[in-house]
Amino acid sequence: MARILETTVELKSSPGKFLDMFVGKQQFEVSSICPSYIQGCELREGEMGQVDGEAKMIMEIIDSIDLENNQVTFKVLDGDLMKEYTLFLITLQVTSKEGGVGSVAHWHFQYVKINEKVADPESLLQFAVEVSKEIDAHLFSW
């Protein structure tokens, strides 16, 4: 049975600018913006745009992009996460802040554990929050 875990992060940057860090050419800059969290990012095939304290590796594909709604969904195909989950989808939607400058990043994880002994990926959700904050600080400093 699929489970859901989600959180939001308030950002100073615009929705489009923030989302572009995950789907545009800038996605390969994330490891230099957040070196303490992300050690590398490489494109295995296709075209651009189309963890809990220890280093983890995941291989993911962009499953869908909805630029009109500033949303991207990644499907994890391989790596450390797939040792504990049979399905792992990560959706990021960034919306404008109501009545103010900036935006809100909504992280949504949908996953299926291999068994009930596996913990929910709360540390991965916190990782998404911390990476979001670092990317936002970088974007806002331009």
Side-chain angles (χ1 to χ4, degrees):
M1 180 168 142
R3 297 176 185 225
I4 294 173
L5 194 59
E6 53 194 339
T7 194
T8 58
V9 182
E10 289 197 25
L11 308 170
K12 295 177 183 173
S13 54
S14 70
K17 199 173 184 182
F18 186 80
L19 187 71
D20 197 49
M21 293 300 297
F22 294 90
V23 300
K25 293 179 182 175
Q26 291 81 4
Q27 66 184 300
F28 296 101
E29 296 176 23
V30 172
S31 60
S32 64
I33 295 168
C34 308
S36 60
Y37 293 105
I38 300 174
Q39 283 73 51
C41 177
E42 67 180 68
L43 181 66
R44 293 283 175 106
E45 62 181 64
E47 296 181 33
M48 288 185 287
Q50 305 286 336
V51 226
D52 55 21
E54 64 181 74
K56 300 279 186 182
M57 189 282 295
I58 64 170
M59 182 184 297
E60 61 189 21
I61 62 168
I62 294 176
D63 195 48
S64 67
I65 299 174
D66 179 352
L67 294 177
E68 187 174 315
N69 291 306
N70 293 309
Q71 181 173 308
V72 60
T73 298
F74 300 94
K75 181 176 184 178
V76 178
L77 300 176
D78 198 5
D80 295 319
L81 280 181
M82 299 316 289
K83 294 174 185 172
E84 297 179 323
Y85 305 95
T86 59
L87 168 76
F88 209 102
L89 299 173
I90 301 168
T91 300
L92 168 62
Q93 183 171 25
V94 191
T95 57
S96 295
K97 238 186 237 181
E98 289 187 33
V101 177
S103 57
V104 176
H106 182 88
W107 289 96
H108 179 273
F109 293 173
Q110 181 179 355
Y111 56 96
V112 176
K113 300 177 187 184
I114 59 169
N115 62 50
E116 287 305 309
K117 293 180 182 177
V118 172
D120 292 311
E122 291 176 10
S123 61
L124 186 60
L125 197 62
Q126 185 59 39
F127 168 83
V129 168
E130 296 304 321
V131 167
S132 296
K133 290 177 181 179
E134 284 201 20
I135 290 172
D136 186 50
H138 170 79
L139 290 172
F140 202 69
S141 69
W142 287 8

